[in-house]
Amino acid sequence: MNQSGQHGTDGVTSPHATGGTGRVDPHGGRYPQLVNPHAQRSVPHVDGTRRTMDTDTSSLLGAAINVASHLDITDALRNFVDRAARLTGAKYAALGVLDARGDTTAFVQVGVTEEEVEVLGHPPRGRGLLGAIPVDGPLLLDDLTTHPDFGGFPPGHPPMYSFLGVPVRVREQVFGRLYLSEKPGGFSERDALDMMSLAEAAAVSIENSRLYTEARNRERWISVSQDITTTLLEGTEEEEALEMIAARLRVVAEADTALIILPSVGDAWACEIADGMGARDLLGLVFPPDGRAMTVLREGAGMMVDSLTRLRTLRLKELAQFGAALYAPMMLRGEGRGVILLLRKIGAPEFDESDLAMAESVAGQAALALELAAARHAQDVASLLDERARIGRDLHDLAIQQLFATGMQIENARADMAGRGQPYLAGLLEDALSGVDEAVKQIRAIVHSLREPDTAVVLVERLRREASLARTSLGYAPSLIIDVDGTVIAGDDDESALVDTVDNRVDADIADDVVAVVREGMSNAARHAKAASVQVRVSVLGYGPTGRVVVDVEDDGAGVDPSVTRRSGLANLAARARRHGGTFAIGVNERGQGSLMSWQAPLT
């Protein structure tokens, strides 16, 4: 290469020439002059004649074709960096992929050893010298350490001097920057032109990879949508359906965590479904009424956030551990039923518009899952009420009439025994007649409660009703024990006083939560524990501010599965306890066989 400033045979000025014709940029680097990229040079032909052939252009064309042949974007980027290093002879080459803020979100490199990468830690952020690369041309430096934006090498970084930086533009936007360093003899302006050309080929490959990835992701989203539809048609329970939706969404959206935010206690909205990284800690998280999730719910339109950790107005510190986020409202007939929140780790790529569009579609199906579950519940309630009415009619029309007939027979027999002078037998029959009368009274009370299940029913009766209804889901009758200060309500003559004591001590609001806790505890045992027996104990202890009500639900099932990170019902119970200043816990029972759920709250 001519070092005197004259043109060499390749038609460009030597990068080390003191009097070259290249332009100097404001940062001290050099832009390449305009040259013919197809400059020819003569080479000998095999028959002794001479023909023209551009060897460099042929190599560049081959590299461009190779780069553009990859559909997988990861392979395309890695191949682009490798080809750039080979074509220029650079020892080090890297591509920094940029986000909307200009920060590096992905870094592909060759030349740096694994040991050096481990010592350096995180990749460059694309600031300083790396950020000084123009958006429409290369930055060519003989010694990068003399550049005014150079801020020094971090500890463990290999020394570098010669440098060539090139922007990679996709759709008229800077997708990333190509960095090349340490070419023997330094980089030439021809290298800069070649890399600009190769960057254009890489842009085509990246665009093709994006289109391919979008098509592949769309196919995966459609598959998830079909699975959700199938699940809904099969009549899967609400909890299981939403768990499946969250898990599948997390995978198809390449998110690290998926949350489903649903109505909770009062006007609050909380995370009822959680899948992925940090799911156990995020379950039950209450979202503020003026936050992004509720804004998405009110407006009925999804939202993307490039990085939660950089937000200044993030109210939930638990979410600061995540980067990109996607909010998709669960809309049904214009009404918001919940919000799906997809989260990625810090440094992971941002979500795009196609992710948002597909997530909103699946969120609508999730809302439909809630609607169908509510409809099935209403149908079950209607069937239950019909069954209660039938039982009430049968008890009134058959059982009571039969007892009346039996009572009349006993009365006749008692009168006959008394007339024969057999007072002992007459007394026994009198006691039996009293038993029949008491049975009639109890059946009438049952018929009344069946016909009017929600009219001024005392807490004890409501708990007994829940235990009775749980037989259907459990397959057997659970054991229900209710005690006041250690005295068990046993159903004898003293029951009335103790039943009244329970109602007098337990506030109506707390009573509703006690019933909900008992219901959820038995439901959890039926669905998850696979237990052969369940015991429920409700204890009312003390009075007023110093008193408390304790609910223990114990089973002999499989116990708590540590791999399960979501129990929306249990999260609700914890929220109910917190609302009253109480506590909630679930774990293994004392025998080590099965689980023990314990809930308690002060009486006032």
Side-chain angles (χ1 to χ4, degrees):
M1 180 108 29
N2 193 322
Q3 301 295 318
S4 64
Q6 303 297 319
H7 290 290
T9 56
D10 58 358
V12 298
T13 303
S14 168
H16 301 288
T18 58
T21 58
R23 293 187 292 119
V24 178
D25 77 354
H27 298 290
R30 286 176 287 108
Y31 295 112
Q33 65 183 39
L34 295 176
V35 297
N36 181 4
H38 301 289
Q40 307 281 309
R41 65 178 178 180
S42 298
V43 294
H45 196 266
V46 291
D47 60 1
T49 63
R50 304 185 69 82
R51 68 178 178 85
T52 58
M53 177 179 179
D54 188 354
T55 306
D56 292 338
T57 301
S58 176
S59 300
L60 177 61
L61 179 61
I65 293 174
N66 188 284
V67 167
S69 65
H70 292 267
L71 285 178
D72 183 87
I73 192 167
T74 302
D75 291 341
L77 297 181
R78 185 179 295 108
N79 184 64
F80 169 49
V81 174
D82 183 68
R83 287 285 170 170
R86 292 185 183 183
L87 200 61
T88 59
K91 181 179 180 180
Y92 302 106
L95 175 68
V97 180
L98 308 180
D99 60 14
R101 295 173 177 263
D103 294 334
T104 302
T105 60
F107 197 74
V108 183
Q109 61 185 350
V110 296
V112 179
T113 65
E114 294 183 1
E115 292 77 11
E116 289 172 331
V117 171
E118 186 175 353
V119 171
L120 291 173
H122 64 79
R125 293 184 171 87
R127 307 296 176 89
L129 171 64
L130 300 184
I133 298 174
V135 298
D136 56 355
L139 176 62
L140 186 59
L141 300 172
D142 294 330
D143 185 354
L144 63 86
T145 63
T146 62
H147 194 280
D149 290 330
F150 176 71
F153 293 119
H157 195 287
M160 298 181 183
Y161 297 98
S162 59
F163 177 82
L164 173 59
V166 174
V168 180
R169 297 168 61 87
V170 177
R171 296 178 182 175
E172 301 302 321
Q173 294 182 346
V174 178
F175 169 83
R177 303 188 188 104
L178 173 65
Y179 314 122
L180 298 164
S181 184
E182 290 302 282
K183 175 184 178 179
F187 295 97
S188 68
E189 292 170 346
R190 180 56 181 265
D191 290 329
L193 285 173
D194 286 347
M195 290 304 98
M196 290 294 292
S197 299
L198 188 62
E200 292 179 2
V204 173
S205 178
I206 292 168
E207 182 67 10
N208 290 339
S209 298
R210 279 182 169 178
L211 295 175
Y212 171 74
T213 301
E214 287 180 4
R216 185 181 59 183
N217 289 343
R218 188 176 298 108
E219 181 180 352
R220 295 169 62 192
W221 280 101
I222 292 174
S223 175
V224 170
S225 179
Q226 292 172 342
D227 290 344
I228 293 173
T229 301
T230 301
T231 300
L232 297 180
L233 293 176
E234 289 176 348
T236 305
E237 290 187 9
E238 170 192 345
E239 180 177 339
E240 295 181 9
L242 293 179
E243 284 178 344
M244 185 274 287
I245 290 172
R248 294 298 304 275
L249 272 180
R250 181 181 63 82
V251 174
V252 73
E254 298 181 349
D256 296 294
T257 303
L259 309 180
I260 298 182
I261 305 162
L262 300 173
S264 184
V265 179
D267 296 330
W269 290 71
C271 172
E272 296 290 346
I273 309 284
D275 184 85
M277 183 183 77
R280 188 181 298 275
D281 297 330
L282 297 174
L283 191 64
L285 184 66
V286 178
F287 284 72
D290 55 346
R292 291 172 179 82
M294 295 302 98
T295 300
V296 164
L297 192 67
R298 287 190 296 269
E299 297 180 353
M303 174 191 301
M304 293 183 295
V305 178
D306 55 3
S307 179
L308 292 176
T309 190
R310 289 198 293 256
L311 291 177
R312 296 181 179 179
T313 59
L314 186 64
R315 294 176 176 82
L316 296 175
K317 301 305 180 184
E318 294 85 351
L319 299 181
Q321 59 181 308
F322 296 99
L326 185 154
Y327 296 80
M330 298 164 55
M331 305 298 296
L332 188 64
R333 294 189 296 274
E335 180 182 352
R337 305 299 181 89
V339 178
I340 291 177
L341 175 55
L342 301 176
L343 303 165
R344 286 176 177 170
K345 295 178 181 178
I346 297 174
E350 301 170 13
F351 293 99
D352 56 32
E353 292 294 338
S354 62
D355 292 326
L356 179 59
M358 298 306 295
E360 287 179 325
S361 175
V362 175
Q365 289 184 293
L368 181 59
L370 294 176
E371 179 82 356
L372 292 178
R376 283 194 298 269
H377 177 70
Q379 184 179 7
D380 292 342
V381 170
S383 299
L384 177 61
L385 294 177
D386 290 342
E387 182 65 12
R388 283 175 170 175
R390 185 192 64 78
I391 293 173
R393 289 193 303 269
D394 290 345
L395 287 174
H396 184 272
D397 298 340
L398 300 177
I400 290 182
Q401 296 302 323
Q402 183 64 38
L403 285 173
F404 270 132
T406 302
M408 293 177 64
Q409 292 175 348
I410 294 175
E411 174 59 26
N412 291 335
R414 184 197 63 77
D416 185 56
M417 290 298 104
R420 293 184 182 184
Q422 296 181 0
Y424 176 73
L425 292 178
L428 291 178
L429 292 174
E430 180 69 28
D431 292 340
L433 188 59
S434 298
V436 170
D437 291 339
E438 184 62 29
V440 170
K441 292 179 182 179
Q442 292 182 358
I443 290 177
R444 282 176 170 167
I446 293 174
V447 170
H448 178 74
S449 65
L450 288 173
R451 287 177 176 174
E452 301 180 15
D454 299 319
T455 305
V457 181
V458 296
L459 176 58
V460 172
E461 183 59 33
R462 293 172 66 186
L463 294 174
R464 287 174 175 171
R465 184 189 303 162
E466 292 296 332
S468 177
L469 294 176
R471 294 186 61 170
T472 302
S473 57
L474 288 170
Y476 52 85
S479 171
L480 174 64
I481 301 173
I482 305 173
D483 71 83
V484 179
D485 296 329
T487 302
V488 176
I489 300 178
D492 52 20
D493 293 339
D494 296 330
E495 174 180 331
S496 179
L498 291 175
V499 168
D500 291 341
T501 299
V502 170
D503 261 25
N504 291 334
R505 293 191 190 182
V506 182
D507 180 80
D509 185 30
I510 298 177
D512 290 340
D513 283 339
V514 169
V515 173
V517 169
V518 171
R519 182 188 304 124
E520 177 60 32
M522 292 187 293
S523 174
N524 185 68
R527 287 181 292 175
H528 306 295
K530 300 179 181 179
S533 66
V534 176
Q535 176 178 288
V536 179
R537 188 178 190 103
V538 180
S539 301
V540 179
L541 308 172
Y543 303 83
T546 60
R548 67 185 188 279
V549 57
V550 180
V551 179
D552 291 329
V553 181
E554 183 177 0
D555 63 66
D556 61 354
V560 180
D561 186 353
S563 66
V564 176
T565 60
R566 187 268 178 227
R567 285 283 189 269
S568 64
L570 301 184
N572 275 334
L573 301 188
R576 291 177 185 272
R578 289 194 300 268
R579 188 164 65 94
H580 298 296
T583 61
F584 169 76
I586 184 169
V588 181
N589 59 28
E590 294 181 355
R591 299 188 304 274
Q593 299 177 348
S595 60
L596 172 62
M597 187 192 79
S598 183
W599 185 97
Q600 63 175 303
L603 292 177
T604 57

